[in-house]
């Protein structure tokens, strides 16, 4: 007796389709996830550097003269950097006072950060993160 199985041929032709589809979409998905992690880490670090610059500028408000303001800024930034996930050795601070304004610039070199290194072939964000905070000192008039 001859037995005919209907639909067997179609099922056999689709057996490897999921593997082929994943082979096509998988690398793109993994690259997208890596980009999210790398850029998310970079944005977190950039926000942290901005917060450090803002805290330094806020600390300068208590200074009576330029020397005291600079000492307050450097002390606050050095204290704040130790409390967050930044390496103090990679952090630089520039302070400038001109025309009644105090500008605090904090730069952080994130080139050796593990998040930056795991990007692979993805376009990388800038390795040096530079953020500025400005306050008014003295009489505003």
């Amino acid at each position: 007796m001859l037995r005919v199985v209907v639909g067997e041929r179609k099922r056999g032709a689709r057996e490897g389709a999921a593997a082929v589809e994943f082979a096509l979409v998988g690398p793109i998905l993994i690259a997208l996830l890596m980009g999210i992690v790398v850029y998310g880490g970079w944005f977190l670090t950039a926000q942290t550097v901005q917060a450090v610059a803002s805290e330094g500028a806020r600390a300068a408000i208590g200074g009576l003269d330029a020397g005291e303001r600079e000492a307050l800024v450097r002390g606050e930034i050095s204290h704040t950097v130790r409390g967050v996930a930044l390496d103090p050795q990679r952090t630089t601070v520039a302070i400038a006072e001109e025309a009644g304004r105090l500008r605090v610039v904090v730069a952080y070199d994130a080139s050796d950060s593990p998040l930056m290194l795991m990007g692979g072939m993805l376009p990388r964000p800038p390795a040096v993160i530079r953020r500025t905070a400005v306050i008014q000192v003295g009489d505003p008039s």
Side-chain angles (χ1 to χ4, degrees):
M1 177 185 273
L2 183 61
R3 194 169 168 216
V4 178
V5 178
V6 180
E8 178 97 16
R9 182 173 167 99
K10 288 187 179 187
R11 200 175 338 136
R14 301 239 344 127
E15 278 185 22
V20 171
E21 289 170 1
F22 183 75
L24 294 172
V25 176
I28 295 169
L29 178 65
I30 290 171
L32 181 66
L33 291 174
M34 293 298 285
I36 290 170
V37 168
V38 169
Y39 277 88
W42 187 88
F43 284 126
L44 174 66
T45 305
Q47 178 61 32
T48 304
V49 172
Q50 180 63 54
V52 167
S54 296
E55 287 299 318
R58 253 184 236 110
I61 292 173
L64 298 175
D65 61 2
E68 188 178 5
R69 282 190 283 271
E70 182 169 344
L72 286 170
V73 169
R74 291 194 185 280
E76 181 63 28
I77 288 177
S78 124
H79 174 67
T80 305
V81 165
R82 281 192 219 102
V84 295
L86 297 179
D87 182 5
Q89 302 297 323
R90 298 183 164 282
T91 306
T92 58
V93 180
I95 303 162
E97 192 171 331
E98 56 203 31
R101 298 186 190 280
L102 178 80
R103 177 182 306 271
V104 177
V105 180
V106 177
Y108 183 73
D109 181 13
S111 59
D112 288 341
S113 167
L115 285 174
M116 293 289 283
L117 297 176
M118 73 186 268
M121 298 185 325
L122 296 173
R124 292 189 181 160
V128 176
I129 301 169
R130 185 172 283 110
R131 294 293 180 262
T132 303
V134 179
I135 62 165
Q136 184 170 345
V137 292
D139 188 17
S141 54

